[in-house]
Amino acid sequence: MSTLLSVRGVSKSFGGFKAVDGVDLTIDAGERRAVIGPNGAGKTTFFNLLTGLMRPDGGSVQLADAELTGLPPHRIAAAGISRAFQITNIFGRLTVRQNVQIALLAASGRAYRPWGNGWAEKVDEADAILGEVGLPYAAGTPAAALSHGDQRAIELAIALAHRPRLLVLDEPTAGMAPAETGRTMELVRRLVAERSITLLFSEHDMDVVFGTADRITVLSQGRVLAEGTPEEVRADPSVREVYLGTGDAAR
């Protein structure tokens, strides 16, 4: 397998606090990688560094042969990294289709025009993506009217509009009931398989992590504590101590 994402020595401090402290991470094309760790371990800050929302104090980020270190989010998205956030990030007053249309226009380097025939563009392409995420029936519905799980599916549709090589999901099942969690992760696994997308995600639900990831990276206090297959991480005593515990989640 070829390396898609290569992160070397990435660090970020806030005052005297090192939120991310020299993290190395290599992800192969087609891999499904989870990043886990207790609250405050540095997961979201690390994702912010990868996707351009924060500039690292040191280290490098490469996607294939492209150097992405310190680039703004729109340049990183254009290079092939799309992200869905822990908190739903959609335009609630716009329709589901319009949310995807805006993403498609942005991905093509154009601004949307919410007047005249502005919403006549990218309709078929938006509807095709909504079909992929199971929301064709909701195209004309205001996004805010959908359930939390369906709003997460809109975010996936928006991410797909950028034709990512790497999809980054920050707590994709946060706030979901078990049934919604199952449907959402089934959708994620199907989409990355069908589109040959590499997946990087963080998640507190260990059933989701162990049921989805090929490999797992464990962060603790901004550093990599452990890395390996789900079986290797599950059996690692240091991981059990700082994150998984010794109860059912670790078995």
Side-chain angles (χ1 to χ4, degrees):
M1 278 188 160
S2 60
T3 297
L4 179 66
L5 182 71
S6 179
V7 179
R8 291 289 176 264
V10 164
S11 300
K12 183 67 178 180
S13 296
F14 300 97
F17 173 68
K18 289 188 175 182
V20 176
D21 189 6
V23 169
D24 294 336
L25 182 74
T26 300
I27 300 179
D28 290 334
E31 186 179 335
R32 301 188 302 200
R33 174 71 65 92
V35 174
I36 66 172
N39 290 331
K43 302 183 298 295
T44 295
T45 300
F46 179 63
F47 282 7
N48 287 341
L49 297 173
L50 294 184
T51 55
L53 292 180
M54 293 179 181
R55 188 181 183 93
D57 298 330
S60 67
V61 179
Q62 285 190 319
L63 187 72
D65 295 327
E67 178 64 48
L68 304 184
T69 311
L71 293 181
H74 71 277
R75 293 277 304 279
I76 290 176
I81 299 180
S82 287
R83 179 179 179 182
F85 292 82
Q86 183 175 358
I87 299 173
T88 305
N89 189 26
I90 59 175
F91 296 103
R93 293 185 179 182
L94 298 183
T95 68
V96 174
R97 178 189 290 122
Q98 287 168 341
N99 271 271
V100 182
Q101 285 176 280
I102 289 174
L104 287 166
L105 289 168
S108 63
R110 299 163 58 194
Y112 76 97
R113 295 177 289 118
W115 60 84
N117 293 324
W119 295 119
E121 300 183 57
K122 304 288 185 179
V123 173
D124 291 344
E125 196 172 348
D127 285 350
I129 293 175
L130 290 176
E132 287 187 79
V133 301
L135 294 178
Y137 64 90
T141 303
L146 271 64
S147 70
H148 179 59
D150 284 345
Q151 288 182 10
R152 300 300 293 195
I154 298 172
E155 281 205 315
L156 284 173
I158 291 169
L160 293 178
H162 291 273
R163 301 183 183 277
R165 301 170 71 184
L166 175 68
L167 177 62
V168 179
L169 303 180
D170 192 358
E171 300 282 351
T173 69
M176 290 186 185
E180 280 189 319
T181 292
R183 287 194 297 270
T184 296
M185 292 313 299
E186 182 180 355
L187 174 62
V188 169
R189 289 189 289 266
R190 177 173 61 78
L191 290 173
V192 297
E194 290 177 352
R195 285 189 169 230
S196 299
I197 297 172
T198 304
L199 176 64
L200 173 64
F201 70 103
S202 67
E203 182 59 62
H204 280 296
D205 187 324
M206 290 298 100
D207 288 336
V208 169
V209 170
F210 290 122
T212 302
D214 300 316
R215 292 183 63 80
I216 300 170
T217 298
V218 185
L219 295 184
S220 178
Q221 299 180 343
R223 298 179 179 180
V224 174
L225 174 69
E227 188 170 274
T229 65
E231 294 75 17
E232 290 168 341
V233 168
R234 193 192 300 266
D236 189 307
S238 63
V239 175
R240 294 168 67 91
E241 180 180 353
V242 305
Y243 188 69
L244 296 177
T246 58
D248 290 342
R251 289 201 291 268

